[in-house]
Amino acid sequence: MTHKNSPPLPTVLAISGSDCSAGAGLQADLKTIHALGGYALTVPTAITAQNSQGVSSVYPLPAYVVQQQLHTISEDYDVQAIKIGMLGNLEILNVVIQFLKQSNTPHVIVDPVLISSSGKSLLEPDALPKFINELLPLATLITPNVPEVNALLEGGGKNLKPPFQGQKGEVTNVAHTLFSLGVNAAVIKGGHSIEPLATDYLVHPSDHSEVTVHAYSTERINTPHTHGTGCTYASAIATELAKGLSLTEAIQQAKTYLYATLIHAKNAQPNYRVLPNELEIEGGGRKGGLAHFYEWQGYDKKAQP
Ligand code: PXL
């Protein structure tokens, strides 16, 4: 009997830290990649203890445990895109660099997460020079926010004065500086910028050392539930690239997905305990995760944050 298989799913390898609250990190990667129709392979680099109010501790895994996972996966799977988030320390960074050097995966997206929004270090500072000089050039695309752009430029000895604020007029100069550090292409995210819209700028080099800039804008969404937006965005871009979309189309699709997951986030929260400050601060000061499966779970489609 012949059995016709469906085509395989676009296969994305996510290398990042575990977030036990499932808002950010590897769990956000896994949800995003599957919600968008891909298959996620998941290699944790670290275990974090965290909830919607912040990260309390970070435990990087032994580097050989990361290396073994990458080796075993690459023996069996043909990966179309790799998404890299939290790496934790220098030993794990070294393992990932060695892995990328012998991999032929066409799309490598690095989300340069250096510190969590609650202030915990997600990459030990002694790993930053190697992260900049050796990992970034192996990425086909990086996805820094405004503080991360400044941290990368400073770590690479190219800090701008005044620092980058995320405005359109600054983007070309910032792009040239990132390219001088070996960056191949970047989505500079506008979530933390001072512009009225949330505008992200894709920058990549074109002929005659010019910079090509594409802008992607949405209105800013007023919601406290933004935990995992960076992880989700980078994973969504990786999945769309794994499907075969062009870079500009993949970013547009990912931006549209991210917007929908933010708009519906209020209606996709777990049961929280009632805390003493609950009555004073709306949401109890919590920063919950996104509505990754907003299309499937019968959320109120008209609900606004
Ligand atoms: O959003 C950055 C990030 C990435 N990876 C892990 C995290 C966080 C932020 O909390 O916990 C594991």
Side-chain angles (χ1 to χ4, degrees), residues 10-13 33 80-84 107-109 141 232-244 250 254:
T11 304
V12 180
L13 168 59
I33 294 163
Q80 278 79 57
I82 300 174
K83 184 259 158 173
I84 298 172
H107 307 290
V108 178
I109 293 84
L141 180 72
T232 297
Y233 194 27
S235 291
I237 295 170
T239 309
E240 299 299 348
L241 289 169
K243 289 178 189 173

Side-chain angles (χ1 to χ4, degrees), residues 9-295:
L9 300 179
T11 304
V12 180
L13 168 59
I15 305 172
S16 52
S18 165
D19 165 10
C20 57
S21 74
L26 200 53
Q27 287 81 352
D29 299 338
L30 178 61
K31 291 187 212 178
T32 301
I33 294 163
H34 281 268
L36 292 174
Y39 189 102
L41 303 164
T42 54
V43 171
T45 55
I47 306 297
T48 70
Q50 61 178 296
N51 58 26
S52 67
Q53 296 166 80
V55 180
S56 54
S57 43
V58 172
Y59 302 94
L61 292 176
Y64 74 87
V65 176
V66 177
Q67 193 271 331
Q68 277 298 309
Q69 294 179 85
L70 294 173
H71 174 73
T72 308
I73 275 180
S74 57
E75 282 184 324
D76 203 20
Y77 298 93
D78 185 19
V79 172
Q80 278 79 57
I82 300 174
K83 184 259 158 173
I84 298 172
M86 173 186 177
L87 291 175
N89 64 27
L90 188 58
E91 292 74 27
I92 297 170
L93 172 67
N94 278 329
V95 161
V96 171
I97 289 170
Q98 289 316 313
F99 173 73
L100 292 176
K101 282 187 174 163
Q102 52 76 56
S103 125
N104 55 4
T105 302
H107 307 290
V108 178
I109 293 84
V110 172
D111 184 21
V113 285
L114 308 176
I115 43 174
S116 76
S117 36
S118 60
K120 269 268 182 298
S121 169
L122 301 178
L123 182 73
E124 285 177 357
D126 66 348
L128 189 60
K130 194 159 200 172
F131 184 90
I132 294 169
N133 297 326
E134 296 190 36
L135 181 71
L136 296 190
L138 295 170
T140 52
L141 180 72
I142 68 168
T143 59
N145 60 26
V146 171
E148 287 160 355
V149 167
N150 286 315
L152 295 176
L153 296 182
E154 194 183 331
K158 309 248 175 182
N159 44 332
L160 300 177
K161 288 199 187 88
F164 177 50
Q165 293 198 291
Q167 287 177 294
K168 187 168 195 279
E170 303 169 282
V171 165
T172 305
N173 182 37
V174 166
H176 277 301
T177 318
L178 287 171
F179 301 155
S180 75
L181 291 174
V183 167
N184 291 304
V187 177
I188 299 170
K189 297 178 294 190
H192 297 73
S193 82
I194 59 170
E195 292 190 334
L197 292 176
T199 304
D200 306 331
Y201 298 98
L202 165 65
V203 294
H204 53 102
S206 52
D207 296 344
H208 313 295
S209 51
E210 303 271 310
V211 181
T212 304
V213 182
H214 286 88
Y216 304 84
S217 295
T218 58
E219 65 196 55
R220 288 187 188 275
I221 303 164
N222 183 17
T223 175
H225 302 306
T226 57
H227 193 197
T229 44
C231 311
T232 297
Y233 194 27
S235 291
I237 295 170
T239 309
E240 299 299 348
L241 289 169
K243 289 178 189 173
L245 296 194
S246 70
L247 191 54
T248 51
E249 288 168 339
I251 295 165
Q252 184 59 65
Q253 289 295 323
K255 179 91 174 160
T256 303
Y257 174 70
L258 185 67
Y259 182 78
T261 64
L262 278 161
I263 283 282
H264 296 288
K266 185 185 175 186
N267 305 309
Q269 296 303 308
N271 272 313
Y272 292 112
R273 293 165 68 99
V274 179
L275 300 172
N277 62 2
E278 192 81 62
L279 299 175
E280 286 138 53
I281 313 168
E282 205 208 322
R286 292 193 169 93
K287 188 174 160 180
L290 309 179
H292 289 97
F293 298 103
Y294 73 93
E295 278 193 321

